Amino acid sequence: MTAHGDHHIDALIVGAGFGGIGAAIQLDRLGYRDIVIVDREDDLGGTWHVNRYPGLAVDVPSTTYSYWFEPNPYWSRLYAPGEELKRYAELVADKYDVRRFMRFNTTVESARWDDEAELWRVTVDSGETLSARYLIVATGFLCQPRTPDIPGIESFAGCIIHAADWDDSHSIAGQRTAIIGTGSTGVQLIPELAKEAAELIVYQRTPIWVLPKIDFGFAPSVRRLFAKVPAAQRVVRWMTDTTMDVVMLIAMWKFRYFKGLNRAASAVAKLHQFSVIRDKELRRKLTPDYDYGCKRPTLSNSYYRTFAQPHVCLETAGIDRIEPDGIVTLDGREHRIDTLVLATGFDVWEANLPAIEVIGRDGRNLGKWWRENRFQAYEGLSVPGFPNFLNSASPYAWVGLSWFNTVEYQMRHMNRLFGELQRRGAQTFEVTEEANARFLDRMTELLEDSVFLRGSCATSRSYWFNHSGEAPLFRPTSARSAVKAQDRFPMSDYAIA
Ligand code: NAP
């Protein structure tokens, strides 16, 4: 209860994906019990609940793509299929008993800080307003699917399916099918679509670097070993964690000194292409002209091979318009199609930073403030002017290739911050302007050596860059150093009262 007699909960968490589940586990461990997790979907799992297109699999080794405190010995393969990730989310939520906090089919419309009551007032789509001492937005970077603004798309008479809203009841067997988009999703989907469609036209605007995927199944005996001797899986995890971390550190953040590694990765991708595609012109079209690392590269053993099939056509002429029965390219040719698949990604900038309207102290609007003052967040989590607020998908929050790297360092940050509040018997925290500015300066300086600033990225059309040409999504350090930093940040960086 507040001084005004308001009923309020301890914490409201927005999003029941791995970030929200992690935040709830952390708060629960600290003794907060009055927690509500809201999610607009009808079940938990976030990205792994929403995405269920054919071919969906994690493209980071599963030993690394999991909570550090909850290894899963039962992954069927090194790169587990999507449904195993969804099951893992359910298993963790049940084991740590955080499902009891969850409310589904609930969309947050806005959140406003009430300075007098020192509470967040959060309005949801039913019209209800929830009052919470702490607000944690854990919606992720990739939660707003993007439908391309192509002229005529609304006139298409066939079936349109977005990869992030897969329609299991629609069969493309024997159909003329087109797919727009060759990002990580397209690379996983295209080989699967080619298995069913009579004809598959792939509309590529920007090619992607694709490396071979060294994947293998875990034999039942290995899974039993991992279950019985967790240390054995820890060793494998240490190897996959270290490999991912070192590769990302030197290829992306220390590009200035290790360009050779990026060139070697591009050479491996070209060799991989050469081994399966004989047509020189096709290879040229599939080869990016930007540096490896400017845009998210991916892994696949079947992607390039798919283009060698006679019923698969790569179309690079650019789309002029969509008509009721097909797609017309800029050079005037039309492909007639029955089904159009959109693997066109997510709106990372406009609709997602932040994912909901957040109004802090003195009416400061987070989205507006970021756009007027550069994207910034202390330790990728907290923002001055926004007391008792943590936003997991903030500028500089993304570290490492596995989302669990971000989840881990943020849970450790929460552990220290909320632990300190409890030690002092305090109720509110707010990062200081000075600490935030210092963090931003450090991130800006570290980016100086990165592929984003030193590489040739102009043609990459990478969603890692914003409209001003800045790339403030990633924390340009190793995941390990981000985790360690959470034991060291000065508590005086927060005003705690
Ligand atoms: P994406 O990387 O943003 O790719 C979207 C694709 O759609 C791009 O090829 C883009 O072309 C194309 N596109 C968008 N609008 C278009 C238009 N109007 N006309 C023609 N082409 C258009 O999205 P994504 O493939 O969904 O991947 C997003 C992220 O999800 C990945 O970076 C990754 O982080 C994550 N992901 C992870 C996994 C996993 O296994 N863990 C799997 C899938 C996705 P341009 O490049 O020219 O813009």
Side-chain angles (χ1 to χ4, degrees):
M1 291 287 194
T2 68
H4 302 269
D6 254 352
H7 175 71
H8 67 265
I9 53 176
D10 292 332
L12 180 71
I13 298 171
V14 186
F18 284 123
I21 292 171
I25 292 172
Q26 188 60 67
L27 289 175
D28 194 47
R29 278 177 179 165
L30 286 159
Y32 297 97
R33 295 287 178 264
D34 205 355
I35 299 170
V36 173
I37 307 174
V38 291
D39 198 295
R40 67 184 179 192
E41 300 299 329
D42 60 2
D43 199 2
L44 58 82
T47 241
W48 300 101
H49 170 61
V50 172
N51 284 281
R52 52 179 197 284
Y53 59 80
L56 176 68
V58 65
D59 62 2
V60 171
S62 305
T63 40
T64 284
Y65 198 88
S66 40
Y67 293 106
W68 82 100
F69 57 88
E70 191 53 47
N72 174 16
Y74 304 111
W75 300 123
S76 63
R77 358 185 16 88
L78 187 61
Y79 295 91
E83 71 264 14
E84 288 187 29
L85 271 303
K86 161 81 174 149
R87 276 208 301 281
Y88 175 66
E90 289 169 354
L91 192 132
V92 175
D94 288 335
K95 178 167 176 184
Y96 291 85
D97 198 17
V98 294
R99 209 191 266 263
R100 70 190 200 276
F101 302 137
M102 295 180 185
R103 269 202 222 172
F104 298 112
N105 300 308
T106 305
T107 304
V108 170
E109 291 184 338
S110 65
R112 180 177 283 274
W113 173 248
D114 178 339
D115 210 19
E116 201 181 318
E118 296 185 331
L119 292 174
W120 281 97
R121 309 285 188 191
V122 182
T123 312
V124 297
D125 53 354
S126 64
E128 187 187 356
T129 297
L130 297 162
S131 300
R133 177 71 66 205
Y134 305 109
L135 174 63
I136 296 165
V137 176
T139 45
F141 282 110
L142 305 166
C143 67
Q144 314 284 13
R146 186 176 50 199
T147 300
D149 197 8
I150 301 170
I153 191 162
E154 67 296 333
S155 72
F156 183 62
C159 179
I160 300 188
I161 308 175
H162 196 291
D165 186 20
W166 196 256
D167 178 359
D168 298 305
S169 66
H170 180 77
S171 166
I172 58 155
Q175 290 206 343
R176 294 166 303 180
T177 303
I179 175 167
I180 303 178
T182 52
S184 308
T185 301
V187 167
Q188 291 186 335
L189 247 175
I190 287 163
E192 297 302 314
L193 297 178
K195 288 180 190 163
E196 298 276 321
E199 196 186 329
L200 180 67
I201 302 128
V202 177
Y203 289 87
Q204 171 194 277
R205 189 163 63 183
T206 312
I208 180 170
W209 287 114
V210 184
L211 290 181
K213 189 174 187 177
I214 303 164
D215 191 13
F216 46 82
F218 290 122
S221 55
V222 173
R223 288 185 239 168
R224 278 198 299 275
L225 174 72
F226 285 168
K228 268 199 186 150
V229 190
Q233 196 180 15
R234 293 241 171 243
V235 171
V236 179
R237 177 168 192 149
W238 182 86
M239 289 192 294
T240 55
D241 279 4
T242 306
T243 310
M244 296 276 111
D245 215 16
V246 170
V247 165
M248 185 126 176
L249 182 68
I250 62 183
M252 293 191 64
W253 313 134
K254 297 297 169 199
F255 174 84
R256 181 182 190 168
Y257 310 106
F258 295 98
K259 296 182 180 81
L261 188 89
N262 299 56
R263 297 209 178 108
S266 310
V268 172
K270 285 185 193 167
L271 207 63
H272 173 207
Q273 229 182 47
F274 183 75
S275 68
V276 288
I277 300 175
R278 298 272 51 92
D279 180 341
K280 201 172 165 190
E281 179 60 8
L282 181 57
R283 286 203 305 267
R284 187 189 64 73
K285 287 179 175 173
L286 286 166
T287 305
D289 61 356
Y290 54 84
D291 276 325
Y292 185 91
C294 293
K295 181 178 194 143
R296 194 172 197 287
T298 194
L299 308 170
S300 172
N301 297 331
S302 50
Y303 179 66
Y304 288 138
R305 206 180 287 278
T306 302
F307 291 97
Q309 297 178 41
H311 69 301
V312 179
C313 161
L314 179 70
E315 186 55 82
T316 58
I319 299 172
D320 179 56
R321 62 185 184 279
I322 296 180
E323 298 201 331
D325 61 351
I327 300 184
V328 182
T329 43
L330 289 169
D331 55 9
R333 286 175 299 115
E334 177 176 9
H335 286 287
R336 298 222 163 149
I337 55 165
D338 307 301
T339 294
L340 172 58
V341 176
L342 301 175
T344 43
F346 301 85
D347 181 349
V348 174
W349 294 102
E350 289 315 311
N352 205 47
L353 276 166
I356 55 169
E357 183 184 68
V358 182
I359 312 286
R361 201 191 284 288
D362 302 325
R364 182 179 278 188
N365 178 313
L366 182 58
K368 200 158 170 275
W369 189 76
W370 270 341
R371 280 154 187 81
E372 289 170 358
N373 296 277
R374 289 178 66 193
F375 286 94
Q376 50 192 290
Y378 174 75
E379 292 290 338
L381 258 178
S382 51
V383 187
F386 296 85
N388 290 8
F389 170 72
L390 300 174
N391 188 61
S392 71
S394 280
Y396 305 107
W398 202 335
V399 69
L401 278 175
S402 161
W403 185 242
F404 283 93
N405 295 137
T406 296
V407 174
E408 174 172 357
Y409 96 75
Q410 295 192 341
M411 283 178 71
R412 290 180 190 266
H413 189 98
M414 287 173 64
N415 188 38
R416 239 183 107 215
L417 176 58
F418 285 95
E420 184 66 12
L421 284 170
Q422 293 181 337
R423 207 179 57 74
R424 295 195 202 174
Q427 300 283 357
T428 63
F429 65 83
E430 181 179 341
V431 68
T432 65
E433 296 273 3
E434 189 274 320
N436 177 62
R438 184 176 4 102
F439 184 79
L440 177 61
D441 285 349
R442 207 179 120 237
M443 294 299 106
T444 308
E445 197 184 317
L446 284 171
L447 275 170
E448 282 296 321
D449 294 338
S450 73
V451 66
F452 296 151
L453 270 81
R454 299 277 164 179
S456 162
C457 293
T459 55
S460 67
R461 293 188 81 111
S462 169
Y463 72 81
W464 289 343
F465 290 84
N466 65 17
H467 299 310
S468 326
E470 291 182 313
L473 296 185
F474 279 96
R475 181 185 185 114
T477 71
S478 69
R480 213 156 279 187
S481 107
V483 167
K484 280 200 183 141
Q486 308 319 310
D487 295 332
R488 284 199 303 255
F489 68 84
M491 224 19 108
S492 56
D493 283 356
Y494 281 99
I496 292 177

